[in-house]
Amino acid sequence: MPQPDPTADVFGGGLPYRRGDQGPAVAQLRAHLARLDLVAADPPGADPGARHLMESQFDADVESAVLAFQQQRGLACDGVVGPQTWRLLDDARWQLGDRVLRFAPTHMLSGDDVAALQGRLLELGFDPGRIDALFGIDTEQALRDFQRNVGIPVDGLCGPVTFKALDRLARTVVGGAAQHLRETQRWAGSGPGLAGKIVVIDPGHGGRDTGAVGHGLIESEVVADLAARIEGRLVAVGVSAYLTRGRLAPAAEPPDESTRAALANRLDADLVVSLHTDGHPNASAHGVATFYYGAGPSGASSAVGERVAHLVQDEVVSRTDLLDGHTDGKTWDLLRRTRMPAVRLEVGYLTNAGDAARLADPAFRDTIAEAVLVALQQLYLPAEAPSPSVVLLQPAPAPVA
Ligand SMILES: [Zn+2]
């Protein structure tokens, strides 16, 4: 991990540097350029005894490295290191994760790592202001929004916990591919894509209605926890997510399904995802099932709801070892009274020892939450765009030798 260089300002004071200069500042310049693979760290054939002197020559190699750097960064290409080139070279030392980033009003942090953070926040639907590599107040605010939405401590510091959360979401959301603004806009815009949508997450039961119980687990609590994990992921990609209930006191009367449906209608939601676990007198019953609004072959049904249900079912089944139950049309109130597509996920049986052990594991709940997120992303993916999952599941055939 590079450390802040206390001599940077001293060397900056001798600017500009150009071909023919020599001294410690030139040695530092060469080291910066070498880290970027623009010049060899040691001049070839350098005499070890004269090495220090040799390294500090602003020679033709250093000059062409400076020119290459200036071209990369869109600076005027003159091969001379003035204040702007010097500052960008200093910025380029930092990769996201090298140091803790924070807002300091009197001495704003600057670096490629700050620019990377700003880009990542923008991809995830938060607004850091301009991507200017400066950790200003807007960047801090966007970072706090992100932290709040993924449920990590809201301290405005970009440190190890935040790096981890950013990393996990980047892989979940974009498969590491969306560095460019055009792709960013796919998530941040209001067209195709999940960003900007309104999704209601409905943790079933609550309060005095515990739902299924078994093996030390209570359905109303399991699904409330799962709902929070899904909510964090949705908000992080720019979705407005709402829950139909909070964590109710044990004696509280939970909202009924019609009330929950009315909330979704009032919010004019794009989608409702209802979360349940199952229970059965037969302890061997297990697996995952999803439901959508439908009344059998002769009745009305929701085509989009059916598609969402299949997507959710497929993603959960492909990411876990839960038994693939079924995807069915039902006329339950929440499915019937909602004016938008609604699905109900029944993820595992608490009365089954195997399913319950899985559901007790927070990592397993995260897997389910990611499965739901990816399923919803698939739903809103433009028809012509390859989905991240498809890319992963269908590698290109090996070339014939
Ligand atoms: Zn239930």
Side-chain angles (χ1 to χ4, degrees):
M1 175 184 295
Q3 294 299 315
D5 184 347
T7 62
D9 288 342
V10 176
F11 291 153
L15 293 168
Y17 299 109
R18 53 168 52 87
R19 189 163 176 181
D21 284 342
Q22 61 183 47
V26 176
Q28 191 186 50
L29 171 64
R30 185 171 193 120
H32 285 352
L33 292 165
R35 257 192 297 273
L36 299 170
D37 284 331
L38 294 172
V39 72
D42 296 309
D47 170 1
R51 181 168 154 171
H52 183 75
L53 182 67
M54 291 296 290
E55 276 182 351
S56 41
Q57 294 290 337
F58 197 132
D59 57 16
D61 289 346
V62 172
E63 189 180 50
S64 34
V66 169
L67 282 165
F69 179 77
Q70 289 174 327
Q71 189 167 16
Q72 279 176 13
R73 299 284 165 142
L75 295 164
C77 295
D78 56 7
V80 175
V81 179
Q84 201 176 13
T85 301
W86 184 268
R87 186 175 66 74
L88 290 185
L89 270 169
D90 198 54
D91 279 1
R93 292 189 298 146
W94 303 103
Q95 302 290 309
L96 189 57
D98 282 349
R99 57 178 174 173
V100 173
L101 298 173
R102 76 183 77 209
F103 175 55
T106 55
H107 187 77
M108 262 196 264
L109 280 177
S110 157
D112 282 13
D113 52 349
V114 178
L117 171 66
Q118 291 172 328
R120 204 70 73 76
L121 289 169
L122 188 63
E123 274 170 20
L124 294 169
F126 301 92
D127 182 11
R130 280 176 47 217
I131 297 188
D132 57 5
L134 280 172
F135 197 106
I137 192 80
D138 291 344
T139 303
E140 191 201 44
Q141 190 53 54
L143 180 61
R144 286 178 180 274
D145 290 343
F146 168 77
Q147 291 174 325
R148 186 162 34 249
N149 287 320
V150 295
I152 59 178
V154 182
D155 54 12
L157 286 185
C158 191
V161 176
T162 302
F163 295 140
K164 222 165 137 185
L166 282 168
D167 198 43
R168 194 186 61 216
L169 280 165
R171 278 186 281 111
T172 307
V173 175
V174 295
Q179 289 186 356
H180 306 294
L181 195 58
R182 212 170 44 172
E183 272 132 339
T184 299
Q185 282 168 341
R186 204 177 86 204
W187 300 102
S190 58
L194 199 46
K197 298 289 190 290
I198 300 172
V199 175
V200 168
I201 307 160
D202 172 47
H205 312 280
R208 62 201 299 171
D209 172 15
T210 59
V213 291
H215 297 92
L217 295 179
I218 298 169
E219 178 180 355
S220 60
E221 291 178 4
V222 171
V223 295
D225 178 75
L226 189 55
R229 291 170 198 265
I230 295 171
E231 180 194 21
R233 285 168 170 77
L234 287 175
V235 172
V237 297
V239 169
S240 299
Y242 295 88
L243 300 180
T244 54
R245 69 167 174 90
R247 285 177 198 266
L248 303 172
E253 191 71 48
D256 63 19
E257 289 213 330
S258 300
T259 308
R260 297 172 195 234
L263 171 74
N265 291 340
R266 208 162 56 239
L267 289 166
D268 199 18
D270 295 289
L271 203 62
V272 177
V273 180
S274 182
L275 302 169
H276 287 256
T277 59
D278 227 328
H280 198 275
N282 181 346
S284 65
H286 66 292
V288 54
T290 47
F291 303 93
Y292 56 93
Y293 176 67
S298 58
S301 86
S302 162
V304 178
E306 182 173 358
R307 168 147 171 73
V308 185
H310 278 287
L311 287 168
V312 170
Q313 180 79 6
D314 289 352
E315 289 298 338
V316 171
V317 167
S318 70
R319 281 154 200 268
T320 68
D321 56 356
L322 288 176
L323 177 73
D324 188 358
H326 45 244
T327 302
D328 265 343
K330 294 284 180 192
T331 55
W332 296 325
D333 267 353
L334 185 84
L335 302 178
R336 185 165 59 89
R337 291 176 180 272
T338 41
R339 290 198 298 262
M340 65 292 303
V343 294
R344 172 160 159 172
L345 173 63
E346 297 262 3
V347 58
Y349 283 71
L350 296 188
T351 44
N352 175 263
D355 281 7
R358 289 172 177 82
L359 283 164
D361 179 3
F364 184 84
R365 295 180 188 182
D366 275 333
T367 303
I368 300 292
E370 297 197 2
V372 171
L373 173 68
V374 171
L376 301 195
Q377 287 177 328
Q378 306 263 21
L379 178 69
Y380 289 111
L381 222 50
E384 68 278 12
S387 76
S389 288
V390 172
V391 171
L392 288 175
L393 294 172
Q394 299 181 340
V400 179

